[in-house]
């Protein structure tokens, strides 16, 4: 097995850079936009790398209740997911006719990305912390493993594409996850990484009512710039980076403002395609 060791989440230490220095930048006496109310939670900013994290930590098993909204959506594919796959296929134009493309979805949930990858002709494999999600994807016919990414595959350079959508902000040690995804990718393989963008215009305007805080499950709050920097440090080349918003505004003016925010990389969500050097 690889020598990489996944550190547990300790809110007093930054697992991205190792610094123990931080300052509180947000405090929530109560936050009610998740599955359950969250009380007495802070977001602290690392004085080393600037990445923000939750204090105190939180444990979430991500079992059936967590996946209920995705089950209710059925086989629908979110437009943001479609745009991410469109970016992937653009990056892989020279390999468009490749066969035997191995695809791994880290945090596969109800298998929407696995189904989309299979439609594109990829050999799709899933991984999830949730045993319920693993069983669900296995019932769909996909090979799926349970638990952390670290130590799952001994051999390196096994996959052509790794998809990790809105998962990296949940894991205790994001840096080691990115390092392991780099190890598992074949040379010139693509990492599809999606996460909430802390440096977003909606977060700035909505403040505590920003839905993407997800204080009932998210440990980390990355900006698009911070994630691009981390990926480059891990020997990835950024192929594309876009931010998006998921709002249906009630006026043309609001739509224009949100579209412009996304264009200038201050939208709510960030989709990155990074290529292994």
């Amino acid at each position: 097995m690889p020598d990489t060791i996944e550190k547990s989440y300790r809110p007093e230490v930054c697992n991205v850079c190792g610094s123990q220095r931080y300052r509180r930048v947000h405090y929530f006496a109560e936050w009610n936009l998740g599955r359950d109310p969250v009380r007495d939670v802070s977001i602290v900013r690392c004085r080393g790398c600037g990445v923000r994290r939750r204090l105190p930590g939180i444990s979430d098993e991500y079992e059936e209740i967590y996946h209920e909204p995705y089950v209710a959506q059925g086989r629908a594919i979110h437009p943001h997911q479609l745009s991410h796959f469109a970016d992937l296929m653009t990056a892989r134009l020279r390999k468009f006719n490749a066969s035997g493309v191995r695809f791994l979805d880290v945090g596969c949930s109800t298998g929407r990305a696995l189904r989309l990858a299979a439609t594109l002709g990829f050999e799709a494999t899933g991984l999830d912390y949730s045993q319920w999600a693993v069983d669900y994807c296995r019932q769909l016919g996909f090979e799926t493993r349970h638990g952390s990414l670290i130590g799952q595959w001994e051999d390196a350079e096994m996959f052509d594409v790794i998809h990790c959508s809105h998962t990296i902000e949940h894991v205790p040690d994001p840096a080691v996850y990115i390092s392991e995804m780099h190890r598992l990718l074949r040379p010139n393989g693509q990492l599809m990484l999606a996460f909430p963008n802390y440096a977003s215009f909606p977060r700035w305007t909505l403040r505590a009512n920003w839905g993407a805080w997800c204080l009932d499950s998210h440990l980390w709050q990355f900006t698009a710039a911070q994630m691009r920097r981390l990926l480059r440090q891990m020997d990835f080349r950024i192929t594309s980076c876009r931010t998006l918003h998921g709002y249906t505004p009630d006026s043309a003016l609001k739509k224009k403002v949100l579209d412009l925010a996304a264009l200038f990389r201050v939208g709510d969500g960030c989709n990155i395609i990074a290529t292994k050097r």
Side-chain angles (χ1 to χ4, degrees):
M1 291 295 177
D3 295 332
T4 306
I5 298 174
E6 182 179 17
K7 298 183 288 293
S8 60
Y9 184 81
R10 293 179 296 158
E12 68 275 11
V13 179
C14 177
N15 280 348
V16 175
C17 73
S19 174
Q20 298 183 37
R21 298 181 300 115
Y22 62 87
R23 66 182 180 90
R24 188 171 73 177
V25 291
H26 302 283
Y27 174 73
F28 302 86
E30 183 168 331
W31 190 81
N32 291 299
L33 300 180
R35 288 164 290 159
D36 297 304
V38 173
R39 298 179 178 88
D40 194 23
V41 172
S42 295
I43 301 296
V44 300
R45 183 182 186 274
C46 174
R47 291 186 181 272
C49 64
V51 174
R52 296 154 184 86
R53 62 186 186 270
R54 188 189 198 279
L55 192 159
I58 190 171
S59 297
D60 195 325
E61 298 301 321
Y62 301 109
E63 295 304 336
E64 184 171 3
I65 189 171
Y66 179 83
H67 301 279
E68 283 179 353
Y70 309 113
V71 174
Q73 291 166 12
R75 299 181 68 89
I77 303 295
H78 197 282
H80 291 184
Q81 200 168 44
L82 287 173
S83 69
H84 207 182
F85 272 84
D87 290 341
L88 171 71
M89 298 311 288
T90 299
R92 293 182 58 84
L93 276 176
R94 293 184 179 180
K95 302 177 182 178
F96 187 79
N97 293 322
S99 60
V101 177
R102 296 199 64 191
F103 175 96
L104 172 64
D105 187 12
V106 178
C108 55
S109 186
T110 55
R112 291 191 293 182
L114 294 174
R115 290 196 297 264
L116 188 50
T119 299
L120 294 170
F122 298 165
E123 297 175 4
T125 300
L127 172 78
D128 207 285
Y129 267 117
S130 162
Q131 185 62 57
W132 182 91
V134 169
D135 294 340
Y136 190 94
C137 290
R138 285 174 178 170
Q139 290 172 9
L140 295 175
F142 294 104
E143 176 191 343
T144 312
R145 294 194 183 189
H146 174 246
S148 170
L149 174 66
I150 311 306
Q152 285 285 348
W153 285 274
E154 181 175 0
D155 295 335
E157 301 181 0
M158 293 190 61
F159 297 97
D160 301 279
V161 178
I162 296 180
H163 177 265
C164 183
S165 178
H166 292 272
T167 296
I168 200 72
E169 65 273 15
H170 295 261
V171 303
D173 195 344
V176 80
Y177 251 64
I178 293 171
S179 176
E180 182 70 346
M181 289 188 284
H182 185 277
R183 187 186 74 86
L184 290 173
L185 275 171
R186 291 171 177 158
N188 297 311
Q190 279 77 38
L191 170 62
M192 306 172 67
L193 193 63
F195 54 94
N197 178 30
Y198 174 86
S200 76
F201 177 74
R203 184 206 51 89
W204 182 76
T205 55
L206 294 172
R207 300 180 183 272
N209 291 321
W210 188 48
W213 283 119
C214 293
L215 295 175
D216 55 347
S217 60
H218 289 186
L219 296 173
W220 302 92
Q221 301 286 341
F222 289 97
T223 69
Q226 287 167 344
M227 186 58 76
R228 292 199 308 272
R229 183 173 66 246
L230 182 57
L231 288 167
R232 291 189 184 103
Q233 290 171 355
M234 298 286 181
D235 207 25
F236 281 100
R237 173 172 55 85
I238 307 301
T239 304
S240 67
C241 176
R242 70 165 79 197
T243 67
L244 313 99
H245 70 83
Y247 301 97
T248 305
D250 56 10
S251 74
L253 178 59
K254 289 181 182 178
K255 182 179 186 306
K256 185 173 183 178
V257 169
L258 288 168
D259 288 345
L260 283 172
L263 181 64
F264 287 100
R265 291 184 177 172
V266 287
D268 261 350
C270 183
N271 285 358
I272 292 178
I273 303 292
T275 300
K276 178 177 177 176
R277 294 186 186 275

